[in-house]
Amino acid sequence: GKSLFAGLPSLGENKPKMYLQLAGRILLVFMFLTLLRFEASAMQIIQNLVGTLLMVLVAIGYKTKLSALVLVTWLNILNFYFNAWWNIPAYKPMRDFLKYDFFQTLSVVGGLLMVVSLGPGGVSMDESKKKW
C-alpha cells in the first residue's frame, strides 16, 4: 500500500486522507445546495427531490460511487437542457446568468466524478459495511 513517508511502509488506513475525503464530500453537498431552485413547478420539485436524495447518499457514503454516477448523469442532462447559454445572443444579459449556472453545475459534476474515481474514503457507510 501507499505510505505517508517515502520508503517506509504504513499499517492500516491513512487517517488524514480519510477525513479529507469526508470533508470533500461535505463541501460538495454545500456546492450542490447552491444549485437548488425553490419554485412551485412539479418538474422543479422532482429535480430537487431526486438530486437531494442522491446527494444525501453521497454525503453519508452509502452506495457512494453509484449514487454519484447517477447524480452526474442527472445533473448533466438537466444542465445541458436548462442552462444552454450558447443558444442566447451575446447582447442579452440572460446569457451571462445561464453561463454562470452552467459552469457552477459543471463544477459540482467534476467533484462528483472525483468521488466516483476515488471512492467515499474510510469515513463512510460503504467502508463500515466492509467491517461487518
Side-chain angles (χ1 to χ4, degrees):
K2 291 185 179 182
S3 68
L4 191 57
F5 300 104
L8 297 174
S10 66
L11 298 173
E13 290 291 320
N14 185 349
K15 294 278 185 199
K17 182 181 176 184
M18 290 178 6
Y19 293 115
L20 284 173
Q21 284 178 294
L22 173 64
R25 289 195 331 261
I26 291 170
L27 291 173
L28 202 54
V29 169
F30 288 126
M31 285 176 60
F32 174 79
L33 289 176
T34 66
L35 303 179
L36 296 178
R37 292 189 182 99
F38 299 104
E39 298 169 7
S41 70
M43 183 62 183
Q44 193 63 50
I45 292 170
I46 291 169
Q47 288 175 31
N48 287 346
L49 288 176
V50 169
T52 302
L53 173 70
L54 290 169
M55 201 65 212
V56 165
L57 291 176
V58 169
I60 64 174
Y62 181 74
K63 303 275 188 197
T64 312
K65 287 186 174 192
L66 176 63
S67 301
L69 193 58
V70 170
L71 193 53
V72 162
T73 306
W74 176 255
L75 286 176
N76 266 325
I77 291 168
L78 294 177
N79 197 27
F80 279 93
Y81 182 75
F82 288 111
N83 298 324
W85 56 271
W86 50 89
N87 291 332
I88 307 294
Y91 63 87
K92 290 193 175 183
M94 189 60 165
R95 180 183 172 106
D96 293 330
F97 290 112
L98 290 177
K99 189 186 286 189
Y100 177 82
D101 284 346
F102 180 84
F103 286 107
Q104 186 171 358
T105 304
L106 214 56
S107 66
V108 173
V109 167
L112 288 167
L113 285 173
M114 291 292 291
V115 171
V116 171
S117 172
L118 299 173
V123 185
S124 65
M125 288 184 70
D126 288 347
E127 195 63 33
S128 64
K129 283 191 323 189
K130 293 178 185 175
K131 295 175 185 173
W132 293 349

